[in-house]
């Protein structure tokens, strides 16, 4: 039975990096959480500590197939996020974004539930404006190797807004920028996890390109706070809303910072830049500040220290 004021919340992709933190946070707030995952990139290890909680339920399910559960809110996070993962089976990546979104939107429509989509800064592609603001429509190559993800997420946004216009569904679309923290996959090729693992192992740190390309990194706890605020925002705010850290750092500086924080002896080596890799990425978070009262609180040093501690124990264990 539900407790007073408790909401039943579905988190798809709940055993992944962001999803597991979101489930943890929702349970901490007293919500009743249904975590759905097919374990494509997620892991039971990420949610083992939640399995004993009587308000946590785990369903092994692929969201490209219809799902029938009763919930009040849906966070749709299911989708591999790292390029090596989403390029491994690009057709499935498009399917999870298109068929998966249709299934979750259909569920939300039947239940009159609010649904939040974990969209991405990748919808901006290789941007011609900097920093990126929500009204920028993006510059995406529709036939490149990243298109299954970028165009998949763009189509998911289209579906969300069409369900909103056509069926008056309450939707929330978050455009998430690079996020890092404990429970990132150690071999996902993403820059923060890559550099930390290489530094801890004393292996050379691989930079693709000359290291002048910039990124901005948001610590996972800040991002989760933003998602929850967006879900709880007034009905007139559908988004899209950028969520990320506007503090910019170039990749070479990041590598050096990680070498210092890990007390590593790793050297930095340079490799050719992969196709369609964006040169610059930084969110304009004015909308999130104004409408959600949200901005990141955790500094890069603090976040890196927590993430390094996680990978250190993972590699030792
Ligand atoms: N981490 C970031 O920096 C970032 C940035 C932008 C957007 N996002 C988005 O946030 C979401 C979560 O990303 P993450 O970093 O936690 O990635 P992740 O790969 O760790 O998590 C994705 C989860 O979805 C699950 N999944 C994949 N396909 C599924 C399917 N068909 N049915 C059910 N479950 C499925 C995976 O097993 C995994 O647990 C993704 O939608 C991603 O696109 C993440």
């Amino acid at each position: 039975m539900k407790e007073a004021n408790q909401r039943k919340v579905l988190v798809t992709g709940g055993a992944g990096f962001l999803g597991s933190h979101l489930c943890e946070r929702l349970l901490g707030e007293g919500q009743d959480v249904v975590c759905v995952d097919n374990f494509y990139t997620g892991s039971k290890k990420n949610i083992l500590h939640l399995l004993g909680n009587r308000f946590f339920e785990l369903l092994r399910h692929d969201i490209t197939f219809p799902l029938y559960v009763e919930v009040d809110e849906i966070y749709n996070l299911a989708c591999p996020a790292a390029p090596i993962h989403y390029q491994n089976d690009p057709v499935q990546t498009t399917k999870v974004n298109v068929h998966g979104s249709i299934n979750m939107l259909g569920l939300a429509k039947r239940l009159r539930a609010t649904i939040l989509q974990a969209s991405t800064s990748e919808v901006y592609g290789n941007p011609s404006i900097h920093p990126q603001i929500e009204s920028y429509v993006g510059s995406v190559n529709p036939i490149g190797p990243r298109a299954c993800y970028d165009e998949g997420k763009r189509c998911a946004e289209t579906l969300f807004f069409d369900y909103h216009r056509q069926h008056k569904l309450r939707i929330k679309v978050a455009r998430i920028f690079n996020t890092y923290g404990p429970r990132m996959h150690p071999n996902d090729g993403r820059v923060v996890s890559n550099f930390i693992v290489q530094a801890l192992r004393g292996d050379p740190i691989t930079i693709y390109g000359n290291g002048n390309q910039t990124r901005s990194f948001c610590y996972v706890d800040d991002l989760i706070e933003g998602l929850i605020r967006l879900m709880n925002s007034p009905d007139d705010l559908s988004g899209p809303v950028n969520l990320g850290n506007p503090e910019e750092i170039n990749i070479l500086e990041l590598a050096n910072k990680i070498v210092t924080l890990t007390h590593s002896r790793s050297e930095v080596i340079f490799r050719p830049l992969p196709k369609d890799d964006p040169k610059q990425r930084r969110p304009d978070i004015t909308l999130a500040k104004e409408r959600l009262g949200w901005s990141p609180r955790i500094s890069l040093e603090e976040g890196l220290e927590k993430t390094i501690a996680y990978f250190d124990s993972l590699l030792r264990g």
Side-chain angles (χ1 to χ4, degrees), residues 10-262:
L10 170 63
V11 179
T12 75
F17 161 47
L18 297 182
S20 61
H21 286 273
L22 179 60
C23 289
E24 196 176 282
R25 169 74 192 266
L26 290 165
L27 289 168
E29 289 184 355
Q31 312 304 355
D32 187 347
V33 176
V34 182
C35 165
V36 164
D37 209 295
N38 68 350
F39 300 108
Y40 183 61
T41 52
S43 160
K44 272 194 191 151
K45 280 191 194 147
N46 289 340
I47 44 164
L48 265 186
H49 61 297
L50 306 178
L51 290 175
N53 188 316
R54 70 190 172 103
F55 292 117
F56 184 73
E57 221 175 315
L58 172 63
L59 293 180
R60 180 190 286 266
H61 175 81
D62 179 337
I63 65 153
T64 61
F65 296 95
L67 175 70
Y68 299 96
V69 289
E70 304 297 317
V71 293
D72 307 305
E73 289 174 354
I74 303 171
Y75 287 85
N76 188 36
L77 272 61
C79 176
I84 52 163
H85 291 150
Y86 68 65
Q87 288 171 359
N88 182 47
D89 186 350
V91 173
Q92 174 65 13
T93 300
T94 302
K95 269 190 189 169
V96 70
N97 282 303
V98 179
H99 296 196
S101 293
I102 290 173
N103 287 329
M104 291 307 110
L105 286 159
L107 180 66
K109 181 181 161 215
R110 180 173 71 79
L111 301 171
R112 303 311 301 165
T114 309
I115 180 166
L116 181 146
Q117 166 68 353
S119 189
T120 169
S121 56
E122 302 293 333
V123 301
Y124 298 122
N126 204 345
S128 55
I129 66 153
H130 194 70
Q132 290 80 53
I133 189 161
E134 289 86 348
S135 54
Y136 174 57
V137 293
S139 165
V140 174
N141 173 3
I143 58 167
R146 300 172 75 107
C148 56
Y149 184 75
D150 304 1
E151 296 289 18
K153 289 283 186 182
R154 285 167 70 93
C155 187
E157 287 198 8
T158 307
L159 286 163
F160 268 71
F161 278 87
D162 281 336
Y163 267 78
H164 173 62
R165 283 184 287 258
Q166 197 175 331
H167 300 297
K168 310 281 173 272
L169 205 62
R170 276 192 309 278
I171 62 153
K172 309 282 176 187
V173 174
R175 286 189 180 150
I176 303 171
F177 284 65
N178 269 338
T179 302
Y180 71 100
R183 299 194 208 125
M184 286 182 94
H185 206 285
N187 305 315
D188 65 4
R190 287 198 263 191
V191 64
V192 173
S193 43
N194 240 19
F195 286 1
I196 293 178
V197 170
Q198 288 171 331
L200 288 172
R201 287 189 174 140
D203 293 343
I205 296 197
T206 337
I207 290 188
Y208 296 97
N210 59 13
N212 282 341
Q213 68 273 40
T214 65
R215 293 289 184 275
S216 54
F217 299 99
C218 185
Y219 187 66
V220 60
D221 291 356
D222 280 330
L223 192 275
I224 298 300
E225 176 68 32
L227 292 181
I228 290 194
R229 285 190 189 208
L230 179 57
M231 178 61 98
N232 297 335
S233 64
D235 285 356
D236 71 312
L237 181 64
S238 297
V241 178
N242 286 340
L243 294 177
N245 195 325
E247 204 178 296
E248 207 170 2
I249 181 168
N250 83 34
I251 294 299
L252 183 58
E253 268 177 81
L254 176 74
N256 290 332
K257 207 179 262 289
I258 289 174
V259 168
T260 309
L261 290 171
T262 50

